[in-house]
Amino acid sequence: MRRLPQYAALAAYVVFLAFPLLWLLSTALKTPQEMALADPTWIPREPTLANFTDAFGEQDLVGAAARSLGVALASSVVTVVISLPAAYAMARYRGLVNKIAIGWVLVSQVFPFILIIIPLFMILRDLELVNTLPGLVVVHVTFTLPFALWMLQGYVRAVPPELEEAAAVDGATRLRSIVSVVAPLLAPGVVATLLFAFISSWNEFMFALVILQNPDVMTLPLTLVRFTGPEGVARLGPLAAASLMATIPSLIFFAIIQRRLKSGLMAGAVKG
Amino acid sequence: MRIRSALAAAAIVALAGACGSGGGDGGSSSSSSSGEPVKINFLSLAWQKESVAANKQIVDEWNKANPNIQVTYVQGSWDNVNDQLVTQFAGGTAPDVIHNDSPALSGFAADGYLMDLKDKLPAELKGDIPQAAWDTVTFDDGKGGQGVYGVPFLQESQVIIANKKLLDAAKVRVPTAAEPWTWDEFSEAAKKMTKDGTYGVAWAMKSPVNKTLNLALNFGGTFFQTAGGKTTVKVGPEEREVLQRIHDQLHTDKSADPDALGQGTADPLPAFYKGKFALLPAGVYLRQQVAEQAPDGFEWVTLPGPKGTTAQQGAVSQTLSVAQDSKHPEEAMKFIAHFLNGPNQARLAKGDWLLPTSQAAASDPAITTEENGWDVATASAKNLVVAPFLKVNGFDEWKTKVATPVLQEYFAGKISLDDAAKRLVEEGNKVLERYQR
């Protein structure tokens, strides 16, 4: 009974978090007439799947989702693979180079995308990476890398160097101490960075819009925007149906990875 | 460990897949001399279901009939097309055939990104589209002449969508295409319909510039003047008329629904169906939403836009252009000529609920029927004239940075018309100056 307020607060929070998803579901199942009611209904009076058939019939949503998933997975994994050793170096070797590197990371976050999109586009064109998914992965990694590096070096710093020194005393080489002692403690940080990079890439629109022209390589955000017209007018039903579908791959990814995040956090807590 | 392995494997598979599916250079690649068909990319901004279907169908028909010139249909988005094109023009990878609207062409033409089609237009296509529509896409070519930088094919006029029950109950004269309301009659009708919590009219003014500038031509309001080669902003008595009349409906007559003021074009529709107001001035394309969404039994009619000293309205055209860097401009022009022939324009206009520029298309029974107000909408095309602001280099920046916030403040009753006029002119001229150095 004493926990009742806590449960109530938790329930309210869950409802708050679930609101966008429930609204999407409700909208996706409504007829155009019901969507235009001045007093919106939560539960569709005459549920219809027409919005789903329209959305899937008109656009290659499954293909676009598969491509987005591929790009987001590749971008997130490559980001972590590149940033992990760099983050270790930044955290453990302090000096002028380190300071410059950190400064670069911070400065790189200051530039607006629109400022660098044209030179970047020209570089990609010269590398014949325009209109290709690997080109988009390169761009996403480039833009995710600085923040991922920043995140990971914080996690590395949280691992006491004394643990590595203790391993060295026990005869472990530096590589061995990194692999056996530091890496397991970094698991939650790696997972969090993966999630960050995945979300950044999954949602990214502007670079994909500029780089991808061939309809056969377009990603999900480019496909979703096709349900919108000028001055904010949108085909709300098919857009909601398509957006709902677009959340599924990322939900699955999160469901898989969140267990690792949880166990990683626990491992870090015990060993710390 | 299993998770890590799975992620690593997924990444490898994804990269491999990405590498495999990412072919193509994005531009027009092969040439007919190698025996391969010429490939053309067509960036289309169609977004309504029927319009997308019509676009795709015409492209499919073309591809079947022209095995040597294959067109790839690429769907874009109105909200982002200019950002996309700026980058792709700079990178030399823009689509061969580009769908846009006429206000966007001036800047791209001045920067040399669009091809002058003046000498490439087939006589049949040129003759089927009235000069007034060609004027919307004719700009200074930078060499002392005038170039044609697109083919205009769909136009939008302003009409009034009315709740028939409230219109009949007010016992006002129902305007016709031949005899539209004057602005005075429009204001009187709105006042008569304002009672018992119902407003006469709703002005959705989230994006007020195009709507007010196009209607300002009713009184000869041009907002820009050019003298001695220099263009400046002008807000005189002609320009003030429509601004003042809309403001009066909002703040003096109180016959305009204040809730609609900050809304986008389609946002007031739920309140319209509920009978909260009777008249909704809007672009002709909004009829599509009303036809699709209006509840059973809701009766609505399309009325012509109001008339000042004339019924003229500013015209903005949707256009097809050819990129200057296109490797196949002749083939692109052939495709455009087919895509925009009379029968095809009728299909496109019907799909987008807009007005065709083609005279052949305008006589198509599908877009002259009384159903859904097509007759009124199509008749309004005769009042469309080239909007003077289309020719003004820097108009887009003036519209975004100066006119939109100033008009929003004015219609919200926060500043006077004198203040609004002063800011439109002074701040506007500073913007224009940069474009005329």
Side-chain angles (χ1 to χ4, degrees), chain A residues 32-39 54 57-59 67 69-71 73-74 77-78 114 117-118 121-122 125 128 130-134 137 183 194 205-206 209-218 222 225-235 253 256-257 260, chain B residues 1 3-4 7-8 10-11 14-15 18-19 21-27 41 46-49 52 56 72-80 83-84 86-88 90-95 207 210 264-266 269-271 273-274 285-286 289 292-296:
Chain A
Q33 286 91 346
E34 193 169 356
M35 244 177 284
L37 289 176
D39 305 311
D54 275 359
E58 289 170 37
Q59 303 294 345
R67 288 187 287 274
L69 190 62
V71 169
L73 280 174
V77 171
V78 172
I114 202 72
I117 197 162
I118 291 177
F121 183 83
M122 289 176 169
R125 184 198 56 189
E128 296 187 353
V130 166
N131 217 9
T132 68
L133 294 180
V137 171
L194 267 176
F205 173 77
M206 197 61 205
L209 175 76
V210 169
I211 289 169
L212 306 177
Q213 287 187 42
N214 184 342
D216 296 337
V217 295
M218 286 190 178
L222 298 183
V225 84
R226 291 172 178 178
F227 296 106
T228 63
E231 293 184 18
V233 182
R235 294 177 58 208
F253 179 71
I256 293 169
I257 213 165
R260 188 71 188 109
Chain B
M1 191 63 196
I3 296 291
R4 263 183 291 186
L7 280 172
L15 270 176
C19 293
S21 63
D25 60 5
N41 279 343
W47 64 283
Q48 305 218 52
K49 186 180 175 182
V52 172
K56 284 182 176 172
T72 302
Y73 178 83
V74 183
Q75 202 177 330
S77 147
W78 280 107
D79 280 347
N80 315 95
D83 290 337
Q84 177 185 8
V86 163
T87 314
Q88 291 175 343
T93 63
S207 307
N210 282 357
T265 309
L269 287 176
Y273 305 138
K274 208 181 173 187
Y285 71 92
L286 202 68
Q289 301 244 345
E292 185 182 273
Q293 297 175 343
D296 294 339

Side-chain angles (χ1 to χ4, degrees), chain B residues 386-402:
Chain B
V386 62
F389 56 82
L390 286 181
K391 310 281 183 186
V392 175
N393 204 3
F395 168 72
D396 268 346
E397 190 178 337
W398 177 80
K399 173 183 163 182
T400 314
K401 292 186 179 167
V402 181

Side-chain angles (χ1 to χ4, degrees), chain B residues 179-194:
Chain B
E179 202 177 344
W181 277 335
T182 62
W183 273 88
D184 288 341
E185 282 181 292
F186 175 33
S187 298
E188 280 307 309
K191 276 198 272 188
K192 270 192 182 175
M193 292 178 197
T194 303

Side-chain angles (χ1 to χ4, degrees), chain B residues 50-96:
Chain B
E50 297 84 358
S51 177
V52 172
N55 270 262
K56 284 182 176 172
Q57 199 181 356
I58 298 171
V59 169
D60 285 347
E61 287 166 4
W62 168 271
N63 284 340
K64 275 182 196 149
N66 297 276
N68 293 327
I69 307 173
Q70 291 296 289
V71 174
T72 302
Y73 178 83
V74 183
Q75 202 177 330
S77 147
W78 280 107
D79 280 347
N80 315 95
V81 65
N82 290 331
D83 290 337
Q84 177 185 8
L85 287 175
V86 163
T87 314
Q88 291 175 343
F89 279 138
T93 63
D96 303 85

Side-chain angles (χ1 to χ4, degrees), chain B residues 321-399:
Chain B
S321 303
V322 179
Q324 184 67 51
D325 285 344
S326 170
K327 292 175 188 140
H328 307 293
E330 303 301 328
E331 289 84 356
M333 193 62 244
K334 277 184 194 167
F335 168 70
I336 290 175
H338 169 79
F339 192 84
L340 299 183
N341 67 29
N344 285 342
Q345 276 207 41
R347 288 154 81 181
L348 295 168
K350 201 171 171 229
D352 250 333
W353 292 65
L354 289 166
L355 315 172
T357 55
S358 155
Q359 289 162 319
S363 59
D364 188 295
I367 54 173
T368 50
T369 172
E370 280 184 25
E371 193 182 359
N372 294 324
W374 271 109
D375 54 343
V376 175
T378 303
S380 67
K382 72 175 187 298
N383 297 320
L384 293 175
V385 294
V386 62
F389 56 82
L390 286 181
K391 310 281 183 186
V392 175
N393 204 3
F395 168 72
D396 268 346
E397 190 178 337
W398 177 80
K399 173 183 163 182

Side-chain angles (χ1 to χ4, degrees), chain B residues 235-433:
Chain B
V235 186
E238 299 89 353
E239 286 74 20
R240 289 178 182 228
E241 277 283 350
V242 164
L243 301 183
Q244 179 74 63
R245 286 166 183 271
I246 295 173
H247 189 274
D248 284 349
Q249 288 186 331
L250 282 158
H251 300 285
T252 309
D253 303 345
K254 299 199 185 300
S255 59
D257 184 353
D259 290 345
L261 194 58
Q263 295 183 333
T265 309
D267 296 337
L269 287 176
F272 178 60
Y273 305 138
K274 208 181 173 187
K276 197 181 171 209
F277 57 86
L279 306 170
L280 179 61
V284 282
Y285 71 92
L286 202 68
R287 293 171 302 129
Q288 189 270 341
Q289 301 244 345
V290 182
E292 185 182 273
Q293 297 175 343
D296 294 339
F298 182 86
E299 289 184 78
W300 61 281
V301 288
T302 304
L303 309 179
K307 179 185 171 187
T309 48
T310 70
Q312 284 187 347
Q313 295 183 12
V316 173
S317 305
Q318 289 192 24
T319 56
L320 290 189
S321 303
V322 179
Q324 184 67 51
D325 285 344
S326 170
K327 292 175 188 140
H328 307 293
E330 303 301 328
E331 289 84 356
M333 193 62 244
K334 277 184 194 167
F335 168 70
I336 290 175
H338 169 79
F339 192 84
L340 299 183
N341 67 29
N344 285 342
Q345 276 207 41
R347 288 154 81 181
L348 295 168
K350 201 171 171 229
D352 250 333
W353 292 65
L354 289 166
L355 315 172
T357 55
S358 155
Q359 289 162 319
S363 59
D364 188 295
I367 54 173
T368 50
T369 172
E370 280 184 25
E371 193 182 359
N372 294 324
W374 271 109
D375 54 343
V376 175
T378 303
S380 67
K382 72 175 187 298
N383 297 320
L384 293 175
V385 294
V386 62
F389 56 82
L390 286 181
K391 310 281 183 186
V392 175
N393 204 3
F395 168 72
D396 268 346
E397 190 178 337
W398 177 80
K399 173 183 163 182
T400 314
K401 292 186 179 167
V402 181
T404 299
V406 167
L407 292 181
Q408 282 172 340
E409 284 181 49
Y410 171 61
F411 289 131
K414 291 178 181 167
I415 56 174
S416 69
L417 184 52
D418 285 339
D419 292 337
K422 193 176 170 202
R423 281 175 58 189
L424 287 172
V425 171
E426 289 180 0
E427 293 173 26
N429 284 341
K430 278 182 197 163
V431 170
L432 295 189
E433 230 165 68

